[in-house]
Each structure stands twice: as C-alpha cells, then as structure tokens.
Amino acid sequence: MRGRIICGCAASLAFGACAVPAADPRPNVLFILADDLGYGDLSVYNPQGRIRTPHLDRLASEGVRFTNAHSSAAVSTPTRYGLLTGCCPWRGPLKQGVIWTWADPLLTGERTLPAMLREAGYATALVGKWHLGIGFATTDGAPVDRAANGANVDYTQPLTDGPTHHGFDYYYGDDVPNFPPYAFIENDRFPEIPDRPFEEGMPGVPGVMAASWRPERLLAVETEKAVAYIREHRDGPFFLMVSLTAPHTPIAPSSGFEGHSRAGRYGDFVEEMDHRIGEMLAALRDAGIEERTIVVFSSDNGSSFQDGGTAGGERYGGRFGSILDLGHNPSGRFRGMKSDSWEGGHRIPFLVRWPGVIPAGMVSDALTCDLDLYATLADVTGMTLAAGEAVDSRSLMPLLRGGEPSRTSLVAQSGNGILCYIGDGWKLIAGSGSGGSLNPYGAADLLPEYDAASGRWRNVQLYNLESDPEERYDRAALHPQRVARMMEALAGEVRRGGTVADWAQVAWTASVAQKE
C-alpha cells in the first residue's frame, strides 16, 4: 500500500475534526531550509547515526514526518528555483549545476511563492542563503567585471536585483557563504561595506570581505534575525523562510559546539543547527503564536559527506566521503550523496507541524516533493494558481485531510542534469552512473540510447524502491517494458516543459518521439 499515513497514538484524531482554526484563517508560515543536510543526519530518521537532533525530533513528533520526500534537484540553486516557482528547475534557464560567482539573476518575471503569499495579505521575509543570482550596481555603469572578480561593484549603492525584487518584503542574509562578497545584505543594502581582501585561511572563493565576517557567526546571526522577525510580526500573518547555511561548507560550528557530537565538526555543525532551530521554535512559543503557525522543515539536497576538516583535511571542508570514516552516513541507509541521482542526492527529511490541523505523531510514506510547498500554501490561503504557474507542485492538503495523495510521480535532477523519474514504487535514472559531480565512488555517466534492433534502452538504471530502497539491484535488464514506459513518461514530462533541444542530457527524448 503506497502513500499511506501511519498514525501514532497521539495522532488518533479523526481527520474530519481537523480544520483551520476559525480565529485565524491565515496561519503564519515558518519554513526552515537546511543546506546540504542528509536524510540520515536527523536522529529521528537515523537512530543509529552519530548525530543527535532533539529539537527537530520533537518537531517531527508534533506533526507529520515524511519518509519518501525528495528535493527537485540534488544541488542548491535549482532546488531553490523550484521552491520559489513550483516548477521543476530544468523548466527554467539552468539545466544543470549551480550558478557561480557574479552570476546574473536566475529569476525573471515568475510569480514566486512569497509574491503569491504577499498577494494573500502576508508579510514575507527571507533570512539566510539566496544563491539565485544578485544584480549589483557598478562604479562605471558596466556589467560586473567577472574577470576582475567584481572589482567594479559599488557596494554603497542598492542592489539592482535580489530577494526583495522577487516577493520578499524583507531580506537579511549572505547570498552564498562560499562566494564574494563576504558580507551581510539587509534588504538591498550592505550594512557593513566589504572593503578588504579575503583573509588567508578563510574558506571560499577569494574576494572582498567585511571586517566582521567570520563563518562561525553565520548560524547565530541568521537565528537572531529570524527570532527578531517572529517577535516583530507576532500579529501576523507572515511567511518567514529561513534558508540556513548549515551544514554546507564552510563547516564552521561556533566554539560552544565544537566536540558536541560523535561525528566530528560536521556533526557538531548539524547539532548547532538543531539548537538554533530550537531557538526559533521557542520564539514562536514565547510570542504566543505557536498554535497558529505552520512550521515546515526540509533540506535542499543530500550531504556532501565532508567531515569539516576533522581528520586533518582542509579546515571548513574536508575530503568528499570523509564523514564515513567517522562511522556516520548522512544518507542513512540510502545510496549516494549530494549531486547524485541516487536517493542520497535528493531524498530529504521533510517535517510539517500545524497544531489543530495535523495530528501529532503522523508518519507518511507518500511520495512527496519539496515543490509541493507552493501548491499547498496556495491551498491553505485560498489563492488561485494561474494556468502555467507552479505546474509541478501538488497540494499536500488532500493527503493531510485523510484523502488520497495528489502526487503519484516526480522528476528530480542530479548535479550534472541527469533526470530520474519516480512512480508506482519504481525509479528510473536516465543515465548509467551517479549523475553527480562529487561522488568519489561513481563512474562517469553514459546517456540513454535506444537500440531499435532489440527494442531496449541502454545506459539507464531501474530500481524497485519498495523492495530495494538502497538501490543495490539494477532491474533495467529484467524489465525492459517497464523501462520503456517510464522513459516515455519522463520524455512526456520533458516535452511538457517546452523545448530543450540544446540540452544534451535529454537528447534521448528524440528516440521516444520516433517510436511514437
């Protein structure tokens, strides 16, 4: 039985008794997004792991914990694009990878999730990472000089494009903690001008930094701003997205958390993240708005498997795969890591708490995607989605009301742009390898080819996720007809997104069209 909800004793309420509290038809929304956190990094998902996350475990016990949730991509930028648009990221301009330093803004005229909620009467805010491109004013009026590492950027002038241009009323964050400029941005200004060279020993791409910039401060500052926003907007309704920079590199736990875990500096950073999230949840309680606030927690993709330099590697980072040497697997029982098409790249922790609506102690194995946040919040707030808007998002509310899930399949992309299709308990990967750029154990990908003589596809993988969630046994050779059906379904999704003729990773769709 797929898509079921398993209720604990605390969740024995009849769904029909659950309704939006009449006193506040527009609940606040706190959406917390971790960065590079694996499915197995939360102790509620991986009790055998070497990291403890009591605050997130408690959040899971107070709402619903999804065990079959996926990010739309296995790396950062495309996932964030998908979250804000409700569309598979490859439907936009970025087909693979992430945007790099001084990149042009990726969002254009889309109605983003915060813009939609603002139309519904919400105050909207983002705290933390952006990674969707920023428009900078320049001293000479020319585009940012990328060859000179942004030497002509004028940090005294407001941004020409950023979060406040795409639906957020308020922004406080650091764009990308690995890229210059190394300074916080508030709304469209730099409160502290980055006016000095990157210090030796700092992690990231060299560039300019502000005098107070220290990676160890990021989590504390992000939390402080989020807590302040909650207090100032307690009368609501508000949508606050807290896009954490942990446990992504630079893996930089503050001094009070060093040695806190049994999984090196990486584990320390995760446990500090959990503590900071506990402070945000406490702020909801202290403000008296916990009962009328939806809290959502997830990660943008899987873990990079770096130990943070624990074993003498690069401080703030470490060798890819080094966390395994400490006896902790951030993907839990699943295969793969960040950037991969395998489950460890895109299966994510996903928690939702809504007091009075979602009974406590629920566990759901329904197929879920982070894209679904858009349609769910449109459903909750009564907003109508226009034709062509958030086309890949499905509301979770039918499932949470005790009905059938709206989602029956999903598409996710790897770091290298390899697509996978999940449906009916099976998973097809349109490539021969991991699909990722980081996995030290993966072979290079070969793209799908259709052999007309045999009527079979080559260079694809097929897994039965119900009997083999660890993806140990590739069944493609045993089930050619299922492979053909799933390749046709995936090709249909790609064609539904418009032309992608210049995208090499889906050139195989022409073979499907010829068969038809």
Side-chain angles (χ1 to χ4, degrees), residues 37-317:
L37 180 80
Y39 181 95
D41 283 332
L42 271 62
S43 43
V44 69
Y45 283 95
N46 184 16
Q48 289 75 42
R50 299 178 66 85
I51 298 174
R52 303 271 73 83
T53 52
H55 296 287
L56 287 167
D57 294 357
R58 185 179 309 114
L59 181 67
S61 72
E62 294 170 345
V64 59
R65 174 168 63 93
F66 291 93
T67 60
N68 193 13
H70 302 259
S71 56
S72 61
V75 287
S76 174
T77 300
T79 290
R80 293 162 201 278
Y81 179 89
L83 282 166
L84 293 187
T85 64
C87 297
C88 287
W90 44 267
R91 298 199 194 280
L94 186 70
K95 308 301 183 189
Q96 61 194 77
V98 300
I99 59 174
W100 206 245
T101 54
W102 313 112
D104 293 331
L106 196 58
L107 291 166
T108 53
E110 305 91 336
R111 184 170 75 156
T112 62
L113 172 60
M116 181 266 289
L117 291 173
R118 187 162 63 184
E119 291 177 23
Y122 278 68
T124 60
L126 171 66
V127 171
K129 183 174 179 177
W130 176 238
H131 205 185
L132 287 168
I134 282 181
F136 294 96
T138 57
T139 55
D140 54 8
V144 173
D145 189 340
R146 297 174 185 174
N149 203 10
N152 63 335
V153 171
D154 188 347
Y155 297 106
T156 67
Q157 297 302 308
L159 303 179
T160 61
D161 196 302
T164 58
H165 296 80
H166 297 285
F168 290 106
D169 299 322
Y170 177 77
Y171 173 60
Y172 193 97
D174 45 21
D175 186 27
V176 183
N178 309 78
F179 295 168
Y182 296 97
F184 287 107
I185 300 168
E186 186 163 27
N187 293 322
D188 60 356
R189 297 273 187 168
F190 288 89
E192 182 181 12
I193 301 298
D195 59 0
R196 60 202 60 207
F198 206 41
E199 292 181 7
E200 185 177 352
M202 283 286 189
V205 177
V208 293
M209 61 178 282
S212 66
W213 181 265
R214 291 294 181 275
E216 290 81 2
R217 296 183 59 234
L218 295 183
L219 271 180
V221 171
E222 291 164 356
T223 303
E224 175 187 328
K225 293 298 180 180
V227 168
Y229 188 89
I230 290 169
R231 290 171 177 165
E232 293 165 7
H233 292 79
R234 67 180 66 196
D235 293 334
F238 65 76
F239 170 69
L240 171 59
M241 178 175 176
V242 183
S243 182
L244 298 171
T245 48
H248 191 289
T249 56
I251 297 170
S254 61
S255 59
F257 286 87
E258 290 183 339
H260 201 265
S261 75
R262 297 183 297 138
R265 288 173 56 82
Y266 177 86
D268 298 344
F269 207 25
V270 174
E271 293 197 2
E272 179 176 5
M273 180 202 73
D274 178 76
H275 175 81
R276 302 298 182 188
I277 290 171
E279 293 180 327
M280 297 179 214
L281 298 177
L284 294 176
R285 291 193 297 272
D286 294 345
I289 57 175
E290 181 180 52
E291 296 300 314
R292 52 188 176 93
T293 301
I294 301 171
V295 178
V296 181
F297 173 83
S298 71
S299 177
D300 63 345
N301 46 249
S303 168
S304 67
F305 278 43
Q306 294 169 275
D307 64 10
T310 301
E314 175 193 353
R315 183 171 173 81
Y316 297 115

Side-chain angles (χ1 to χ4, degrees), residues 463-478:
Y463 300 100
N464 186 326
L465 293 180
E466 293 191 340
S467 63
D468 178 30
E470 298 86 359
E471 295 172 294
R472 294 171 295 181
Y473 307 109
D474 182 357
R475 308 284 187 177
L478 298 175

Side-chain angles (χ1 to χ4, degrees), residues 2-4 66 68-70 347 364-369 372 396 399 405-410 422-426 465:
R2 285 183 287 276
R4 66 187 184 278
F66 291 93
N68 193 13
H70 302 259
R347 191 178 289 229
S364 173
D365 65 357
L367 185 62
T368 309
C369 186
D372 298 338
L396 294 172
L399 174 69
S406 301
R407 176 174 294 284
T408 57
S409 64
L410 64 81
I422 302 174
D424 196 29
W426 290 80
L465 293 180

